Amino acid sequence: MTRQQLVEQIKKKKSYLCVGLDTDITKIPAHLQSHPDAIFEFNKAIIDATKDLCVSYKINTAFYEAHGLKGWEAMQKTVEYIPQEIFTIADAKRGDIGNTSTQYAKAFFEALPFDSITVAPYMGEDSVAPFLEYNGKWAIVLGLTSNKGASDFELQKTGEAYLYEKVLSTVSKWGSPENLMFVIGATQAEEFTNIRKITPDHFYLVPGVGAQGGSLKDISEKAMNKDCGLLVNASRAIIYASGKEDFADAARKVAQEYQQEMAVYLDRLNN
Ligand SMILES: O=C(O)c1cc(=O)[nH]c(=O)n1[C@@H]1O[C@H](COP(=O)(O)O)[C@@H](O)[C@H]1O
């Protein structure tokens, strides 16, 4: 998917919501547990209930890989079920020496039809470059993450700058805002303004609202750019909103609350 197509979808739906399909078999409601295809059935119901409210789905591959072949099959069926116009993210956090990253890119962009993949930048340019060679596909590189461990490396100084600042300024030269995004945790509010200064034009994938306590308001007010430039992810807060038979309706309700708040911030952008 091109940047322009993504921006058009955000405008049309008045949403920059990314629903995270971190589908944990132990949290699937009891009535679906015995279904032979429980993960896919759960995802299908979530997608049907939220697809008009979000512009992206993020499939966290760990939750599928944990089930071996059956999990990969559920992941493939899920990504193929997502409507074409919705931006798909393989949250796989890959990155290795060049020829290995080339195989990861084939796995997620050719064998599976994802629009994008999350990538760890630690191994440098040759580990990220293979993901940037595909037209209409994206690498989403970890910038400043939402977790506590962000302070172990990302928020350590290397000379004058934090390591994450160096990652943003260096990695942004490897691709363009047309094929490269950054992961910025919603819990890192003090850094949002600075982050936007370093990378004014890029889209950010922003996890950490909902279950991790980050604020949609903070990221929206401090880090939107003229094209919105944000995909805000919530996983558990949406897909396990009820944990019961009415899980899809409950997911829709929470997704709608996010979307309605997003519409307000988008309106401000246009006025
Ligand atoms: O790359 C990610 O998606 C990611 C980066 C980060 O800094 N923090 C983070 O939580 N994530 C992912 O975003 C999702 C957050 O899930 P919830 O906390 O349930 O909304 C999970 O799939 C995480 O793996």
Side-chain angles (χ1 to χ4, degrees):
M1 179 179 297
T2 65
R3 183 188 166 104
Q4 197 187 339
Q5 287 167 329
L6 178 60
V7 171
E8 275 164 16
Q9 214 203 146
I10 290 170
K11 282 191 188 143
K12 192 172 109 197
K13 289 182 169 169
K14 291 192 179 250
S15 171
Y16 42 101
L17 179 63
C18 171
V19 174
L21 297 170
D22 299 29
T23 307
D24 178 344
I25 192 89
T26 64
K27 292 189 182 153
I28 289 182
H31 74 286
L32 273 183
Q33 288 281 352
S34 56
H35 195 288
D37 220 354
I39 294 181
F40 176 63
E41 286 302 312
F42 178 85
N43 288 348
K44 192 161 160 285
I46 295 280
I47 293 165
D48 289 343
T50 56
K51 64 186 175 195
D52 59 320
L53 300 169
C54 67
V55 295
S56 175
Y57 287 101
K58 180 166 79 69
I59 295 182
N60 183 326
T61 63
F63 289 81
Y64 302 80
E65 291 174 70
H67 300 284
L69 193 54
K70 248 180 103 54
W72 277 93
E73 277 167 6
M75 174 157 61
Q76 174 145 15
K77 283 169 81 170
T78 301
V79 69
E80 286 173 355
Y81 186 73
I82 295 170
Q84 191 81 39
E85 72 279 5
I86 298 187
F87 188 76
T88 52
I89 302 169
D91 182 12
K93 301 193 179 65
R94 299 300 148 107
D96 201 327
I97 60 169
N99 66 328
T100 306
S101 277
T102 298
Q103 300 304 316
Y104 281 140
K106 278 191 182 166
F108 290 97
F109 293 163
E110 295 183 37
L112 292 167
F114 282 99
D115 292 309
S116 67
I117 180 171
T118 54
V119 178
Y122 195 73
M123 289 179 71
E125 185 172 7
D126 56 314
S127 72
V128 176
F131 300 105
L132 298 169
E133 283 167 10
Y134 288 75
N135 264 341
K137 305 277 185 183
W138 298 70
I140 308 181
V141 175
L142 301 181
L144 180 56
T145 56
S146 67
N147 59 326
K148 192 162 138 276
S151 60
D152 291 338
F153 298 114
E154 296 163 15
L155 284 166
Q156 291 294 315
K157 290 254 159 117
T158 56
E160 291 291 292
Y162 286 127
L163 180 59
Y164 92 79
E165 295 180 286
K166 197 164 179 175
V167 166
L168 294 183
S169 55
T170 305
V171 175
S172 59
K173 294 185 193 107
W174 299 343
S176 80
E178 304 287 328
N179 66 356
L180 187 69
M181 297 188 190
F182 290 101
V183 173
I184 303 297
T187 53
Q188 304 285 3
E190 323 79 69
E191 298 298 315
F192 292 159
T193 310
N194 181 45
I195 289 167
R196 204 28 117 191
K197 261 190 222 145
I198 303 170
T199 45
D201 300 321
H202 288 79
F203 260 83
Y204 303 146
L205 168 64
V206 185
V209 302
Q212 297 178 51
S215 145
L216 173 60
K217 183 172 189 282
D218 278 348
I219 187 73
S220 303
E221 290 185 344
K222 293 183 182 160
M224 252 190 194
N225 66 15
K226 65 177 181 355
D227 290 329
C228 176
L230 303 173
L231 292 175
V232 174
N233 177 87
S235 305
R236 286 166 291 180
I238 293 178
I239 68 174
Y240 309 129
S242 89
K244 296 193 284 249
E245 220 162 313
D246 67 346
F247 71 97
D249 289 343
R252 179 172 179 80
K253 199 160 167 271
V254 178
Q256 201 153 33
E257 284 164 14
Y258 282 122
Q259 184 275 324
Q260 284 168 356
E261 191 179 339
M262 288 174 176
V264 173
Y265 303 129
L266 285 170
D267 277 348
R268 280 190 211 158
L269 192 67
N270 297 323
N271 292 322

